[in-house]
């Protein structure tokens, strides 16, 4: 499929805040190509075909993650239109998709050939800086994701997932998450057992952060979920007499979360 004028705006937004000279954008568009992706696991064989490229999501939505030994896909995060899908895979000695990708709806990928990017960067240093920042940001995101998986508890990761799923694309939050996956699949995506997920959902319900009805999760207290998502995953403990600790009562956690909201 041939690139269109909106693709230039897509590239410019993906490289913001660095300026994108119109001439540089035109040259990238002349070299770029569009790949149609049907729903399901990505079947396009390599990020190096038709040419080694950096890949943007042109339209639709994709999930990025991995496949376990049984061939089951485990989602790590979602990629929305206008975001980078893969900037590392084509750079290796043996090119391959950096993560397993699955389209959740009919989607399109925009491939920017690396050779074209390098040629444009030679003539427009600001473009080279912009792509360098993209690579640095993606590497930092990867590092942060590994740190989160290592250090953050299930409750924190679950709270973050609920917040992400109820965040509207227009920036306005939605009170209900209509789950499109079974709880067993969600547990796999979070890297835990179904029993552990059920316990965590029950705890969040008991703490009046959410209400769960089959495959519907209603957000009752977004401020507290935000607080929990930024913690290590457990409700804070407070020091009692003789140096012992106890679990903070719900009213204390609410007060602390409210204080965070006022300070934000």
């Amino acid at each position: 499929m041939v690139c269109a004028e909106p693709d230039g705006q897509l590239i410019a937004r993906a490289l913001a805040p660095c300026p994108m000279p119109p001439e540089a954008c035109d040259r990238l568009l002349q070299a770029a190509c569009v790949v149609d992706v049907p729903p399901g696991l990505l079947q396009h064989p390599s990020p190096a075909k038709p040419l080694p490229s950096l890949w943007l999501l042109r339209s639709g939505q994709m999930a990025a993650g991995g496949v376990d030994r049984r061939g089951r896909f485990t989602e790590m995060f979602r990629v929305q239109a206008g975001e980078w899908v893969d900037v590392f895979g084509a750079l290796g000695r043996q090119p391959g998709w950096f993560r397993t990708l699955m389209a959740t709806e009919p989607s399109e990928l925009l491939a920017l050939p690396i050779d074209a990017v390098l040629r444009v960067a030679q003539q427009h240093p600001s473009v080279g800086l912009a792509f360098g920042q993209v690579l640095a940001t993606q590497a930092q995101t990867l590092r942060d994701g590994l740190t989160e998986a290592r250090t953050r508890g299930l409750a924190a990761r679950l709270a973050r997932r609920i917040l992400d799923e109820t965040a509207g694309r227009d920036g306005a939050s939605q009170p209900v998450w209509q789950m499109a996956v079974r709880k067993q699949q969600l547990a796999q995506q979070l890297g835990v057992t179904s029993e552990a997920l059920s316990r965590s959902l029950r705890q969040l319900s008991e703490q009046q952060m959410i209400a769960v009805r089959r495959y519907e999760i209603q957000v009752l207290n977004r401020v507290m979920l935000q607080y929990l998502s930024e913690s290590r995953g457990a409700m804070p403990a407070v020091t009692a007499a003789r140096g012992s600790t106890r679990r903070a009562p719900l009213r204390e956690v609410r007060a602390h979360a409210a204080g965070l909201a006022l300070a934000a």
Side-chain angles (χ1 to χ4, degrees), residues 139-156:
Q140 184 177 12
T141 299
L142 174 62
R143 181 203 64 189
D144 293 345
L146 292 173
T147 300
E148 175 178 312
R150 234 181 10 249
T151 63
R152 299 184 71 192
L154 170 58

Side-chain angles (χ1 to χ4, degrees), residues 257-264:
L260 290 178
L262 291 173

Side-chain angles (χ1 to χ4, degrees), residues 117-167:
V117 171
L118 294 176
R119 288 195 300 270
V120 171
Q122 287 180 338
Q123 296 186 354
H124 301 277
S126 63
V127 175
L129 176 62
F131 278 103
Q133 291 181 347
V134 167
L135 291 173
T137 299
Q138 293 290 312
Q140 184 177 12
T141 299
L142 174 62
R143 181 203 64 189
D144 293 345
L146 292 173
T147 300
E148 175 178 312
R150 234 181 10 249
T151 63
R152 299 184 71 192
L154 170 58
R157 289 181 282 130
L158 179 57
R160 171 46 53 192
R161 178 65 180 271
I162 294 172
L163 290 170
D164 290 344
E165 294 289 349
T166 54

Side-chain angles (χ1 to χ4, degrees), residues 3-262:
C3 296
E5 183 61 30
D7 293 320
Q9 301 173 7
L10 188 75
I11 295 172
R13 287 196 300 269
L15 296 178
C18 293
M20 188 68 177
E23 178 189 352
C25 191
D26 289 342
R27 292 189 61 185
L28 286 177
L29 285 178
Q30 291 173 7
C33 70
V34 177
V35 175
D36 291 318
V37 182
L41 289 175
L42 178 64
Q43 300 300 316
H44 194 71
S46 168
K49 292 185 178 182
L51 293 171
S53 302
L54 308 180
W55 295 79
L56 268 172
L57 186 57
R58 187 178 191 242
S59 65
Q61 180 181 244
M62 301 189 76
V67 175
D68 63 18
R69 294 179 179 179
R70 297 182 180 180
R72 298 175 301 187
F73 177 76
T74 300
E75 178 181 328
M76 296 175 61
F77 58 90
R78 293 288 176 98
V79 182
Q80 306 294 343
E83 296 179 344
W84 293 99
V85 173
D86 193 320
V87 297
F88 298 122
L91 297 173
R93 293 182 178 178
Q94 296 181 342
W97 295 107
F98 195 70
R99 296 184 178 91
T100 302
L101 298 166
M102 182 178 71
T104 60
E105 59 188 64
S107 303
E108 295 174 320
L109 293 173
L110 181 65
L112 302 180
I114 294 174
D115 283 348
V117 171
L118 294 176
R119 288 195 300 270
V120 171
Q122 287 180 338
Q123 296 186 354
H124 301 277
S126 63
V127 175
L129 176 62
F131 278 103
Q133 291 181 347
V134 167
L135 291 173
T137 299
Q138 293 290 312
Q140 184 177 12
T141 299
L142 174 62
R143 181 203 64 189
D144 293 345
L146 292 173
T147 300
E148 175 178 312
R150 234 181 10 249
T151 63
R152 299 184 71 192
L154 170 58
R157 289 181 282 130
L158 179 57
R160 171 46 53 192
R161 178 65 180 271
I162 294 172
L163 290 170
D164 290 344
E165 294 289 349
T166 54
R169 296 190 182 185
D170 57 357
S173 61
Q174 303 169 354
V176 176
W177 173 20
Q178 298 285 352
M179 297 173 61
V181 297
R182 294 182 178 273
K183 291 179 182 178
Q184 183 178 4
Q185 292 175 291
L186 178 60
Q188 292 172 0
Q189 293 170 7
L190 294 171
V192 298
T193 63
S194 298
E195 292 77 11
L197 174 63
S198 295
R199 284 196 301 271
S200 191
L201 286 170
R202 186 168 59 251
Q203 290 169 357
L204 293 183
S205 296
E206 291 172 351
Q207 294 159 2
Q208 300 175 30
M209 298 186 196
I210 63 173
V212 182
R213 299 179 184 87
R214 294 182 61 83
Y215 291 99
E216 178 181 287
I217 296 179
Q218 180 181 6
V219 175
L220 302 178
N221 194 322
R222 198 170 189 86
V223 172
M224 287 183 66
L225 279 177
Q226 182 68 42
Y227 164 70
L228 180 59
S229 73
E230 296 172 357
S231 72
R232 293 299 180 189
M235 299 299 284
V238 296
T239 303
R242 300 181 182 179
S244 63
T245 60
R246 60 180 173 85
R247 193 68 71 183
L250 183 59
R251 62 178 179 274
E252 295 181 24
V253 178
R254 282 177 173 163
H256 184 69
L260 290 178
L262 291 173

